[in-house]
Amino acid sequence: MSTYQTLLYYCYSPIENAEQFAADHLDFCRSLNLVGRIIVADEGLNGTVSGTVEACKAYMEAVHADTRFTKTEFKIDNVDELSFIKMHCRYKPEIVHSGLRDPKLIDPNKQTGIHLEPKEFMEMIDSDDVVVLDVRSNYEHSVGKFKNAVTLDIENFREFPEKVKELEQYKNKKILTYCTGGIKCEKASALLIKEGFEDVYQLHGGIIKYGKEAGGKDFEGKCYVFDNRVTVDVNTVNPVVISTCKNCGKVTPKMINCANALCNEHFTQCDECGWEMEGCCSDACKQQPDKREYDGTGYYVKIPQPVNYDKISKRKHKNFPPKISTTI
């Protein structure tokens, strides 16, 4: 059995005094020796954390013990080493940046596409009246996507609302949206319904859950994840590699960040070009004198930003998490 686990989760649930909650939650995660990245907003939580099996168990129990987050679903991966180096928990306007902040217009707690369990999704994707829609960014679907999926040319999910007009041709079809863990689909499917799409669905739990419960059938390539694993395998039924090295064109599943921090482009690069280019996407980036040292992984730890306590509300807030008797 693996020593560590990595948890992927989100929950749309209003949080009062969310800035203070973020600071308190960071302290709690550190008390469990967890590492990871959590976004806290007035609308809820979005996180990936990694730690010992015992620490992850204690964390899940604490989240579920809070009545605001009892419905949170955790996708659990057993891993041989921690998936992060540091622990970050920050307050932001949204738990996934979409630009759709007005709950009067888009509220995942009130209306979204019909949730399909992985096996239901698998049974529908080959139907003639279905369009499978990837709502992720270019660098994500370039390394892996569902067979015949419609992809959008977007660098960030906040561009998705501008692309909806390009989907008008599919209004008479069933739209099946998917993303990594399900969080983007909550707002993407809600927006599609608001824009007049009548038959909208979403893959419950995203690609990660689909891999665990349906074997990942017909997901081509790897799934991009937002930790130092960078990508993970999904398909154990009919796997293929679809991505190619940006520099030489060789088929490769390896995705990295450009060693030039001023560029930091996500791109696929084979090992040979990685060492030759020193982890850079171009000769111009390779010549950058302050580029980061390439160690073969192409993953670089961000410098943590301090919590701005001056911005934190002074109002009383509910204690979270509850005290836990589990000894870590």
Side-chain angles (χ1 to χ4, degrees):
M1 182 176 178
S2 299
T3 304
Y4 304 104
Q5 290 181 332
T6 296
L7 311 177
L8 174 67
Y9 69 97
Y10 70 89
C11 183
Y12 282 100
S13 182
I15 301 175
E16 293 184 5
N17 305 323
E19 292 179 78
Q20 180 67 58
F21 177 93
D24 294 343
H25 201 63
L26 175 61
D27 290 340
F28 172 57
C29 291
R30 286 175 172 169
S31 76
L32 293 177
N33 293 319
L34 293 174
V35 291
R37 183 181 299 116
I38 300 172
I39 298 173
V40 177
D42 298 338
E43 65 183 4
L45 294 173
N46 174 19
T48 307
V49 297
S50 191
T52 64
V53 173
E54 294 82 5
C56 288
K57 180 176 183 291
Y59 181 78
M60 289 187 285
E61 288 176 348
V63 171
H64 284 150
D66 189 307
T67 56
R68 294 169 293 184
F69 312 124
T70 53
K71 65 181 181 181
T72 303
E73 293 187 14
F74 289 92
K75 272 76 75 176
I76 305 171
D77 278 340
N78 293 314
V79 294
D80 294 327
E81 57 185 26
L82 295 172
S83 300
F84 294 87
I85 296 175
K86 298 180 182 294
M87 185 68 232
H88 303 271
C89 184
R90 298 192 178 99
Y91 172 80
K92 292 189 177 182
E94 297 178 272
I95 56 176
V96 60
H97 192 172
S98 67
L100 303 170
R101 294 188 225 170
D102 188 348
K104 295 179 181 178
L105 299 176
I106 300 295
D107 185 350
N109 289 310
K110 294 182 178 179
Q111 185 178 48
T112 65
I114 298 170
H115 288 62
L116 294 174
E117 293 304 317
K119 291 183 179 179
E120 294 176 312
F121 185 88
M122 181 177 63
E123 292 170 356
M124 288 182 65
I125 55 178
D126 291 326
S127 300
D128 292 337
D129 61 342
V130 162
V131 170
V132 179
L133 175 63
D134 192 319
V135 304
R136 301 172 303 154
S137 304
N138 290 334
Y139 64 86
E140 296 175 87
H141 59 65
S142 69
V143 74
K145 63 184 182 63
F146 277 101
K147 181 181 68 176
N148 300 324
V150 172
T151 59
L152 301 172
D153 182 14
I154 57 178
E155 296 300 322
N156 191 289
F157 183 59
R158 64 176 174 268
E159 299 173 29
F160 178 79
E162 301 172 6
K163 295 291 183 176
V164 172
K165 58 181 177 292
E166 296 180 10
L167 303 173
E168 290 286 327
Q169 58 186 305
Y170 306 122
K171 272 198 170 181
N172 63 336
K173 301 273 190 178
K174 294 177 181 176
I175 308 295
L176 275 58
T177 68
Y178 73 88
C179 60
T180 307
I183 186 171
K184 294 178 180 177
C185 289
E186 301 284 9
K187 288 193 174 182
S189 65
L191 180 62
L192 288 171
I193 293 171
K194 180 178 178 296
E195 294 298 322
F197 291 79
E198 296 181 356
D199 225 349
V200 182
Y201 302 79
Q202 64 189 78
L203 174 56
H204 183 207
I207 300 163
I208 300 300
K209 186 176 182 181
Y210 183 84
K212 295 179 182 301
E213 297 186 10
K217 182 178 181 293
D218 290 335
F219 185 85
E220 300 177 333
K222 288 177 173 279
C223 179
Y224 183 91
V225 290
F226 297 86
D227 57 61
N228 63 6
R229 295 173 296 171
V230 186
T231 61
V232 296
D233 291 320
V234 172
N235 192 333
T236 59
V237 179
N238 54 350
V240 295
V241 177
I242 64 170
S243 51
T244 58
C245 176
K246 177 173 182 174
N247 302 106
C248 72
K250 177 182 176 181
V251 174
T252 178
K254 186 176 181 180
M255 173 165 274
I256 70 170
N257 286 93
C258 181
N260 175 14
L262 297 176
C263 171
N264 207 44
E265 179 182 348
H266 294 282
F267 69 103
T268 45
Q269 186 179 62
C270 68
D271 285 327
E272 292 82 359
C273 288
W275 291 111
E276 180 181 343
M277 297 295 295
E278 299 176 8
C280 293
C281 66
S282 65
D283 288 327
C285 285
K286 184 179 178 181
Q287 300 306 315
Q288 181 70 25
D290 297 327
K291 68 179 183 294
R292 298 169 290 199
E293 183 177 353
Y294 179 67
D295 65 359
T297 66
Y299 177 81
Y300 307 97
V301 179
K302 292 182 179 180
I303 298 174
Q305 300 297 313
V307 176
N308 187 345
Y309 288 100
D310 291 335
K311 291 179 62 180
I312 295 176
S313 170
K314 302 300 182 182
R315 294 175 297 174
K316 290 183 179 180
H317 58 281
K318 295 180 180 179
N319 291 326
F320 183 89
K323 292 182 180 180
I324 300 173
S325 58
T326 304
T327 301
I328 303 302

